[in-house]
Amino acid sequence: MDHLVLKKDLGFFPRLLLFEKSGHFVGTIKPIRIAFIFYPMSLLLRDSLIMALPITYGVFSNKGNVLFTFKRKGMKKSIVTVKNVHGRKLGEYVQEDWKSLVNIKGELRDADDKLILPVKVKAFSGDFTLTDSEGRQWARFYNGYFPHEFTNIFRDVYNDIVELSDNLSKHHKMLLIAMIGFLFLQRNQ
């Protein structure tokens, strides 16, 4: 998969539908464990504030199987821990929430807390190009850009497409998708 189309889905809590650029449905990102107390809050809070709640999100295949999960914790920082289906930590995405209004800064780290990818997102537009310390591009997103040739497949107006590198290990791709999922779930549309 070299491109991932993300579409907001309706629900009490933010959800994403995931597609290949060909229109093939690949899965969803949605909450899997929600405390009852959070449901009234979902009516009052916007997506970015709901994502501050400690809710476990699952990345599901197109057959409905959980592939991996992630959960945010923290107050001044968002610490998004990514785990496999057996509960083993795969890595973390750490985002500085209160330090910058112009750019969102974060780090993608592996299970041993080693930095694998610095993250910088233009907060107002959401644009990003993620490149590691060796200069390899992991992902790219331009807000508002959706190739015209795909509009016959995706007929609605609001589509986001993220270009993903094919040269990533399965492990790194899971961490990248969790991080991108978190960023898109907390966006207000």
Side-chain angles (χ1 to χ4, degrees):
M1 171 178 27
D2 61 350
H3 287 80
L4 187 62
V5 177
L6 301 106
K7 301 171 77 48
K8 283 266 187 170
D9 192 16
L10 295 175
F12 282 106
F13 296 88
R15 300 162 45 129
L16 294 172
L17 300 174
L18 308 175
F19 297 88
E20 292 179 349
K21 65 182 179 182
S22 65
H24 177 74
F25 176 65
V26 294
T28 58
I29 299 176
K30 61 185 179 181
I32 55 176
R33 287 184 214 101
I34 303 172
F36 181 73
I37 189 98
F38 293 152
Y39 279 94
M41 294 172 145
S42 73
L43 300 172
L44 303 172
L45 303 175
R46 296 193 50 107
D47 293 351
S48 57
L49 295 174
I50 288 175
M51 290 306 295
L53 300 174
I55 297 172
T56 300
Y57 275 80
V59 178
F60 292 80
S61 73
N62 61 356
K63 296 187 181 355
N65 302 321
V66 176
L67 302 172
F68 53 95
T69 64
F70 61 89
K71 183 176 182 178
R72 182 209 174 274
K73 63 181 177 182
M75 293 300 284
K76 292 183 180 183
K77 290 183 184 181
S78 289
I79 301 170
V80 181
T81 303
V82 183
K83 296 182 178 181
N84 67 12
V85 293
H86 306 293
R88 197 179 106 237
K89 180 180 169 182
L90 298 174
E92 287 182 334
Y93 168 62
V94 179
Q95 178 178 294
E96 299 290 337
D97 289 330
W98 303 106
K99 285 194 175 181
S100 177
L101 297 173
V102 178
N103 291 308
I104 297 169
K105 293 181 182 179
E107 297 179 340
L108 195 58
R109 299 183 165 277
D110 65 13
D112 297 323
D113 204 34
K114 179 184 170 209
L115 175 66
I116 56 174
L117 184 68
V119 176
K120 186 174 183 181
V121 177
K122 295 177 185 172
F124 295 118
S125 67
D127 294 353
F128 59 79
T129 300
L130 304 177
T131 307
D132 65 17
S133 62
E134 296 173 14
R136 294 177 299 194
Q137 181 176 300
W138 284 41
R140 184 177 61 164
F141 170 72
Y142 296 116
N143 190 22
Y145 170 73
F146 192 76
H148 181 70
E149 61 266 22
F150 303 132
T151 56
N152 61 344
I153 298 169
F154 300 98
R155 299 197 189 283
D156 56 337
V157 180
Y158 301 105
N159 298 298
D160 293 315
I161 187 166
V162 178
E163 181 181 344
L164 302 174
S165 172
D166 269 343
N167 298 326
L168 298 176
S169 68
K170 182 180 176 182
H171 179 86
H172 284 168
K173 196 166 259 191
M174 288 190 301
L175 291 172
L176 181 64
I177 290 171
M179 185 270 306
I180 289 171
F182 175 76
L183 290 175
F184 278 84
L185 285 167
Q186 70 177 0
R187 286 177 60 189
N188 292 321
Q189 298 268 331

